[in-house]
Amino acid sequence: MNQKKIYVTGLGPGNADHMTGAALASMADADIVVGYKTYIDLIKDLDCVQGKTLKASGMRKEVDRCQECLDLALEGKTVTLVSSGDAGVYGMAGIMLELVEKQKADVEVEVVPGISAVNAAASILGAPLMHDYAVISLSNLLTDWELIKKRIRCAGEGDFVIALYNPKSKGRPTNINTCQEILLQVKDPKTPVGIVQNAMRDGQKKCITTLDQMCDQEINMFSLVIIGNSKTYVTDDGQTMITPRGYTL
Amino acid sequence: MNQKKIYVTGLGPGNADHMTGAALASMADADIVVGYKTYIDLIKDLDCVQGKTLKASGMRKEVDRCQECLDLALEGKTVTLVSSGDAGVYGMAGIMLELVEKQKADVEVEVVPGISAVNAAASILGAPLMHDYAVISLSNLLTDWELIKKRIRCAGEGDFVIALYNPKSKGRPTNINTCQEILLQVKDPKTPVGIVQNAMRDGQKKCITTLDQMCDQEINMFSLVIIGNSKTYVTDDGQTMITPRGYTL
């Protein structure tokens, strides 16, 4: 009797040092590892996948990729679907579980958490997430733009630290400017903002700036942007962003 | 010349399987590993800390613990301060960085990210964080209760998935009820809610319920609560909570 199991595994930011033992074990247990090409490249040299079948697929084929994993599992293969960051945050875990539910497939799905992009970026900037925070994707590919704008406004009014996924791409070059305009209505223009690109991968860059100047900085589809709350400050050397939790030092 | 370095390391939910290689390496590199007693217990049997000095300290001594690390580092020791989950989310990273800045200490601080409690809990529940979410601590020990209530309201109005840290303790038995009342004003009472206790540790439990009934469930200081958005649903077997990202299946 085959076990018919799919792991949906978060690889963390990319660098193997930031993968968990459980993530590596899920790949070691698989017959086949499936993922977007960039993520397969991140793991193809790891010991735990040597001798295994690796299937790389293209972008924007998320549903097809999950269906392929499900078909393989129903044939009796153990499949590990890899995703960067945490597979449960704008990742593949939800689609995989939705497909299994919709088709009432008799397959076990285990979600293996990974270091989320927001946590990786925060660690590079210092400690900007020490208090309540909101995570918002600026991609309106699958989400109504009016809803995204409403969420930005609510997060600003609530004085949350705000982390932005997908802040800018060629198809959405100005969403970040609209986000800035909304937040400037309720936040201090000098609120610290951290921008991290390629966190824990080749080409890692960080920039610490302010809300009124953030759109003058390099922001692209590999960036994660963290906007402080009203208490967030930057160290005197300009290198570290800290949101106090409220302890008296 | 001593390097004078402090690692602030997130251990993830607790189980060694969910620690990263970088977290283990930061302990291997240390002369001394410092942490709250419960966290020292989680790591004291790991190979990477054998033969090292382990210093366990009590609860609510966060600032003292950071000062102790700083003093040790200034003496030339390499110190690793461990924290559960991600050290940068309601953890020790911010306090450590604040102390170093305040005292202008010449010590390098490296924050090593860990699997955050919210990501661990989400992976156990299914995929509730697949869309924009807000993370709120219900502890008013260091934060004004009026601000916390405002954030709950804003997160509800923005239809964020909402993750609650510190939902209940002996000293704050009713904050969760107030939170429920606020959210019932703007959200469907049948909104799915997941409660996870002791994620990836001994005694792990999960419960999937609804917003109007969540306060009837066991919730304590080891619980993390995730409240869905208006699209979140539960699978027919009642075991899995999914927030759709918006893909057409």
Side-chain angles (χ1 to χ4, degrees):
Chain A
M1 187 64 191
N2 291 311
Q3 59 173 334
K4 294 179 180 167
K5 177 156 185 176
I6 300 170
Y7 296 96
V8 189
T9 295
L11 297 176
N15 180 324
D17 293 347
H18 293 280
M19 295 177 194
T20 67
L24 297 171
S26 75
M27 291 186 272
D29 193 36
D31 299 305
I32 302 176
V33 180
V34 178
Y36 172 48
K37 190 183 171 306
T38 307
Y39 309 147
I40 293 292
D41 285 345
L42 289 172
I43 54 106
K44 69 179 192 306
D45 295 325
L46 297 177
D47 288 344
C48 61
V49 301
Q50 297 314 307
K52 296 186 187 294
T53 304
L54 305 180
K55 288 206 169 200
S57 58
M59 253 184 105
R60 298 201 179 168
K61 294 283 179 189
E62 292 85 356
V63 177
D64 295 348
R65 206 181 303 153
C66 288
Q67 185 64 56
E68 186 182 8
C69 291
L70 183 49
D71 293 341
L72 288 164
L74 288 170
E75 287 168 17
K77 305 290 190 197
T78 299
V79 184
T80 299
L81 174 60
V82 295
S83 191
S84 74
D86 183 279
V89 176
Y90 308 116
M92 302 300 285
I95 313 170
M96 195 70 245
L97 288 167
E98 282 199 86
L99 266 189
V100 168
E101 173 69 3
K102 193 180 177 198
Q103 299 175 19
K104 297 293 176 205
D106 183 22
V107 169
E108 183 192 351
V109 177
E110 180 176 338
V111 180
V112 181
I115 303 286
S116 192
V118 65
N119 298 94
S123 74
I124 291 164
L125 292 167
L129 299 182
M130 284 292 295
H131 216 296
D132 306 329
Y133 64 96
V135 175
I136 301 174
S137 167
L138 294 192
S139 168
N140 57 332
L141 202 63
L142 297 168
T143 306
D144 184 46
W145 180 229
E146 292 304 314
L147 177 60
I148 297 171
K149 287 193 289 183
K150 183 179 179 188
R151 286 182 177 157
I152 295 165
R153 196 170 301 113
C154 289
E157 284 170 358
D159 196 25
F160 284 93
V161 176
I162 302 172
L164 302 175
Y165 278 65
N166 305 309
K168 199 180 199 175
S169 69
K170 283 183 186 162
R172 302 178 300 278
T174 61
N175 288 11
I176 186 78
N177 301 77
T178 307
C179 174
Q180 180 192 41
E181 284 162 26
I182 295 169
L183 292 176
L184 282 172
Q185 291 168 19
V186 289
K187 291 174 83 78
D188 187 326
K190 295 303 170 197
T191 302
V193 173
I195 304 166
V196 177
Q197 275 173 57
N198 296 306
M200 289 155 186
R201 294 192 204 178
D202 289 343
Q204 176 181 308
K205 280 193 217 175
K206 81 167 177 186
C207 162
I208 293 181
T209 179
T210 51
L211 180 57
D212 59 347
Q213 297 187 325
M214 73 176 186
C215 293
D216 306 332
Q217 310 301 321
E218 185 181 353
I219 298 179
N220 58 34
M221 59 185 290
F222 304 106
S223 307
L224 196 132
V225 176
I226 298 182
I227 301 163
N229 70 16
S230 59
K231 304 278 175 59
T232 303
Y233 67 94
V234 176
T235 53
D236 288 344
D237 65 4
Q239 293 300 304
T240 304
M241 188 172 164
I242 302 173
T243 301
R245 176 98 164 86
Y247 291 97
T248 306
L249 300 189
Chain B
M1 186 62 191
N2 290 311
Q3 58 173 335
K4 295 182 180 168
K5 176 157 186 174
I6 300 171
Y7 295 95
V8 190
T9 295
L11 297 176
N15 180 324
D17 293 347
H18 293 280
M19 294 176 193
T20 67
L24 297 170
S26 74
M27 293 186 270
D29 194 37
D31 298 304
I32 302 176
V33 180
V34 178
Y36 171 48
K37 191 184 169 305
T38 308
Y39 309 149
I40 293 293
D41 285 344
L42 288 173
I43 56 106
K44 69 179 191 310
D45 295 325
L46 296 177
D47 289 343
C48 60
V49 300
Q50 298 314 308
K52 296 187 187 293
T53 304
L54 305 180
K55 290 207 168 199
S57 59
M59 251 184 107
R60 298 201 179 168
K61 294 282 179 191
E62 291 84 357
V63 177
D64 295 347
R65 206 180 305 154
C66 287
Q67 185 65 57
E68 187 183 6
C69 291
L70 183 50
D71 293 342
L72 287 164
L74 288 169
E75 287 168 18
K77 305 289 191 197
T78 299
V79 184
T80 298
L81 174 60
V82 296
S83 191
S84 74
D86 183 279
V89 175
Y90 307 117
M92 303 299 285
I95 312 169
M96 195 69 246
L97 287 166
E98 282 198 86
L99 267 189
V100 168
E101 173 68 3
K102 192 179 177 200
Q103 298 173 21
K104 298 291 175 207
D106 183 22
V107 169
E108 182 191 350
V109 177
E110 180 176 338
V111 180
V112 181
I115 303 287
S116 192
V118 66
N119 298 96
S123 73
I124 292 164
L125 293 167
L129 300 182
M130 285 292 295
H131 217 296
D132 305 330
Y133 64 97
V135 175
I136 302 174
S137 167
L138 294 192
S139 168
N140 56 332
L141 203 64
L142 297 169
T143 306
D144 185 44
W145 180 228
E146 292 305 314
L147 177 60
I148 298 172
K149 288 194 287 184
K150 183 179 179 187
R151 285 181 177 159
I152 295 165
R153 198 169 301 114
C154 288
E157 283 170 359
D159 195 24
F160 284 94
V161 176
I162 302 173
L164 302 176
Y165 278 65
N166 307 307
K168 200 179 198 175
S169 70
K170 283 181 186 163
R172 301 179 302 277
T174 61
N175 288 11
I176 185 79
N177 301 77
T178 308
C179 173
Q180 180 192 41
E181 285 162 25
I182 295 169
L183 291 177
L184 282 172
Q185 292 167 19
V186 289
K187 291 174 81 79
D188 186 325
K190 295 303 171 197
T191 302
V193 172
I195 304 166
V196 176
Q197 275 174 56
N198 295 305
M200 289 154 187
R201 294 191 204 179
D202 289 343
Q204 176 181 308
K205 278 193 217 175
K206 81 167 178 187
C207 162
I208 295 180
T209 179
T210 51
L211 180 58
D212 59 348
Q213 298 189 324
M214 73 175 186
C215 293
D216 306 332
Q217 311 301 322
E218 186 183 350
I219 299 179
N220 59 34
M221 61 185 290
F222 305 106
S223 306
L224 197 133
V225 177
I226 299 182
I227 301 164
N229 70 16
S230 59
K231 303 278 175 60
T232 303
Y233 66 94
V234 176
T235 54
D236 288 342
D237 65 4
Q239 293 301 304
T240 304
M241 189 173 164
I242 303 172
T243 302
R245 177 95 164 89
Y247 291 97
T248 306
L249 301 188

